[in-house]
Amino acid sequence: MRTERALHRLALALVLATVGLIFAGGLVTSTESGLSVPDWPTTYGQNPFTFPVSKWVGGIKFEHSHRLIASAVGLLTVVVAVAFARGEKRAWVRRLAYLALAAVVAQGVLGGLTVLFLLPTAISVAHACLAQTFFCLAVALAVVTSPRWREAEPAGANSVRRMAAATVAVVFLQLLVGAVMRHTKAGLAIPDFPLAFGRVVPPITSFAVAIHFAHRMTALAVAAAAAVCLVRARRSGREDLKRIACALGGLVGVQIALGALTVLSKKDVILTTAHVVTGALVLGASLVLALASRRTSMSASRKTASRTPAAAISLSEEPAWK
């Protein structure tokens, strides 16, 4: 039991550290500091861990801080992978930890390539999307090591599960479109809100306008998906799903407000970065809902157990999707 709690806490620490890393990466993009440190893996030819603080000026402080935080997250991921290899009994959960380690290594390489190849859009977008994928892996590790998950049983197919899974896909697509928009500098291609050049549908005169408008449309799709999740969670009668769906809906509302403020403020650095971080939180919340809907609530499990002869109870350690 003590080992299980320790693994859960490690996974939670990885989630929180990753949120911090996404914030730091958002600051780099928002301040256009991606090439403030022109070399990699060194920092102006020096060991990045001993680079003098006195030289952390201008964009260097954002880019160099991002690298150091990324290194810390990478080290923590190594610790998580080793801890899960030694203490986690479920093979599929251990594989999740190994996949997270592979993802963080690949993310570090992509981060270096963005610098060495002078911020090419394709690599920069891949770097942003892999960051969200890694965050999902960290969230999944935190969920499946929680006491609620361990004490509950696999749930049958339900409408919440299907809608939550679809929402994860829609949110990821929206974040992908947002990453393309950011890295092609199309954040202000449509300068007004809620209308677009004073219209509901703007004239598509360039790729920048098209990708910006696509970002707004996919945001509406995310809002619609979150609303359906909330309705279905309420109908399910499960309080845990209702709470998660309410949190998801609240985050989507905050995200839309931050998107509007980002445009109206002409991409204020803090607002733009907060928009990036909240997007990751929306993705994480939708994933938590999708995972939670795959298990019965603890109270439901206990009620079922109390009505079922002990000899007939079979708690599966394998995930519902296997």
Side-chain angles (χ1 to χ4, degrees):
M1 182 64 71
R2 185 174 299 176
T3 299
E4 293 173 355
R5 286 198 299 267
L7 292 177
H8 180 54
R9 288 169 182 167
L10 267 177
L12 286 175
L14 185 60
V15 170
L16 293 175
T18 306
V19 171
L21 178 57
I22 291 172
F23 179 80
L27 278 176
V28 171
T29 306
S30 300
T31 57
E32 299 185 359
S33 303
L35 292 177
S36 295
V37 180
D39 53 334
W40 184 86
T42 55
T43 299
Y44 286 97
Q46 299 184 42
N47 184 328
F49 302 106
T50 59
F51 187 69
V53 177
S54 61
K55 295 183 179 180
W56 295 22
V57 295
I60 295 175
K61 63 177 176 289
F62 298 115
E63 170 63 8
H64 187 62
S65 298
H66 175 58
R67 293 189 186 188
L68 294 183
I69 295 171
S71 298
V73 171
L75 179 59
L76 179 58
T77 309
V78 172
V79 172
V80 166
V82 172
F84 274 67
R86 300 184 62 179
E88 177 56 60
K89 297 178 181 178
R90 296 166 294 177
W92 64 274
V93 178
R94 293 198 300 272
R95 288 195 289 270
L96 275 181
Y98 304 153
L99 187 57
L101 179 58
V104 82
V105 172
Q107 181 70 343
V109 172
L110 280 175
L113 291 177
T114 61
V115 173
L116 298 179
F117 288 94
L118 306 180
L119 304 181
T121 299
I123 297 178
S124 296
V125 170
H127 184 60
C129 290
L130 186 55
Q132 301 294 344
T133 302
F134 176 75
F135 181 60
C136 285
L137 290 169
V139 169
L141 286 172
V143 170
V144 302
T145 55
S146 66
R148 183 179 295 276
W149 179 278
R150 290 181 184 276
E151 295 181 27
E153 297 178 1
N158 58 74
S159 61
V160 178
R161 177 195 299 185
R162 292 190 295 271
M163 193 63 223
T167 302
V168 172
V170 172
V171 174
F172 196 90
L173 174 63
Q174 207 265 344
L175 293 176
L176 169 61
V177 173
V180 174
M181 184 185 72
R182 285 198 315 278
H183 291 290
T184 55
K185 303 186 186 305
L188 293 177
I190 299 176
D192 51 336
F193 186 91
L195 296 178
F197 296 109
R199 305 181 185 183
V200 175
V201 179
I204 306 301
T205 56
S206 65
F207 175 80
V209 172
I211 197 67
H212 186 115
F213 188 65
H215 184 60
R216 293 192 185 190
M217 291 300 98
T218 51
L220 291 178
V222 169
V228 175
C229 282
L230 182 56
V231 170
R232 293 189 178 183
R234 287 184 177 277
R235 290 176 179 173
S236 73
R238 284 181 51 180
E239 292 299 323
D240 59 331
L241 297 187
K242 291 180 189 177
R243 288 193 297 270
I244 299 169
C246 285
L248 173 60
L251 284 169
V252 169
V254 171
Q255 179 70 340
I256 291 174
L258 285 171
L261 291 172
T262 296
V263 172
L264 297 176
S265 68
K266 308 301 180 185
K267 294 179 63 177
D268 173 82
V269 169
I270 297 301
L271 291 173
T272 304
T273 305
H275 185 58
V276 172
V277 174
T278 307
L281 296 179
V282 170
L283 180 63
S286 61
L287 178 60
V288 170
L289 181 62
L291 291 173
S293 64
R294 305 189 76 93
R295 308 292 281 189
T296 59
S297 62
M298 287 192 292
S299 58
S301 297
R302 288 166 182 165
K303 288 178 182 178
T304 302
S306 66
R307 295 193 300 265
T308 307
I313 298 175
S314 177
L315 298 178
S316 172
E317 284 296 334
E318 292 300 311
W321 57 85
K322 287 194 71 175

